[in-house]
Amino acid sequence: MKKFEKYVADKPEWNLISKEEASLLKMKLGKSHRKESDWEVIKEILGRRNLLTFIPPKRAKGLTTIEKVLCENGNLMVFTNMDDCTRHIQVLQFKGKFRGYVEIGYISFDNVLDIADQHGMNVLIDMNDENNSRCLMYEPAEKRLKAVIVAF
């Protein structure tokens, strides 16, 4: 994981999902019923790109890391874009989970799935902190991606 210095959307060495791909993912996720072709597009975008995560300060309440991936409420947390990642950081800071700075880095989608499989943990992708948040979830028990709604 590399230290975050300044975010540049098109930083090629990060190999992040482009803004167009992120919009396409959100559109596919927003559908009430996804066809197999929709899932293929989602898997293809995620499979060839890196995802963002962050390391909270050591004294963060209820937050840990597993192999440098954020772990919150027993789930690994990753993000496809900087906007969702920073929004999540801001919400956690507002809730008083931690103060100060965090280290933001990237990790390949395949590595996230390997970590989830090794530790038997679900992965939430682009989970925001709104009530009834729609996001992607990888379940290691079934080894598949799902669209889920997370209620608080």
Side-chain angles (χ1 to χ4, degrees):
M1 184 171 316
K2 296 194 177 196
K3 279 198 170 197
F4 174 70
E5 293 172 11
K6 181 178 179 187
Y7 177 67
V8 178
D10 297 322
K11 214 170 189 183
E13 65 269 21
W14 281 36
N15 192 28
L16 297 177
I17 293 171
S18 69
K19 290 183 187 235
E20 294 80 18
E21 291 169 323
S23 293
L24 182 58
L25 276 177
K26 289 190 187 299
M27 182 186 76
K28 298 289 184 188
L29 183 60
K31 287 182 165 185
S32 58
H33 298 291
R34 281 156 295 285
K35 296 184 259 178
E36 189 58 37
S37 60
D38 294 327
W39 284 112
E40 290 305 317
V41 169
I42 290 169
K43 289 179 200 170
E44 198 240 315
I45 290 172
L46 291 174
R48 58 189 169 93
R49 299 285 190 215
N50 289 325
L51 300 173
L52 295 165
T53 191
F54 64 90
I55 299 175
K58 293 192 187 317
R59 296 179 190 231
K61 298 174 187 165
L63 303 174
T64 60
T65 58
I66 306 284
E67 298 185 41
K68 294 192 175 186
V69 176
L70 175 66
C71 180
E72 184 178 344
N73 298 321
N75 298 299
L76 297 173
M77 305 283 290
V78 292
F79 303 90
T80 60
N81 61 82
M82 188 60 76
D83 291 340
D84 287 341
C85 185
T86 54
R87 187 176 314 115
H88 192 70
I89 292 167
Q90 290 167 342
V91 167
L92 291 174
Q93 288 175 326
F94 180 76
K95 289 180 176 179
K97 298 278 185 174
F98 64 86
R99 294 166 26 133
Y101 298 97
V102 298
E103 180 182 342
I104 297 175
Y106 60 87
I107 185 169
S108 76
F109 179 66
D110 290 337
N111 285 349
V112 172
L113 299 187
D114 289 343
I115 293 167
D117 290 340
Q118 289 172 10
H119 296 276
M121 301 177 80
N122 294 338
V123 178
L124 296 176
I125 303 168
D126 285 347
M127 205 275 306
N128 64 37
D129 294 287
E130 298 170 3
N131 195 18
N132 298 325
S133 170
R134 188 177 292 230
C135 66
L136 289 170
M137 181 174 78
Y138 172 75
E139 278 189 314
E142 297 180 23
K143 294 202 182 297
R144 64 179 251 206
L145 276 174
K146 294 180 176 183
V148 297
I149 296 175
V150 179
F152 294 101

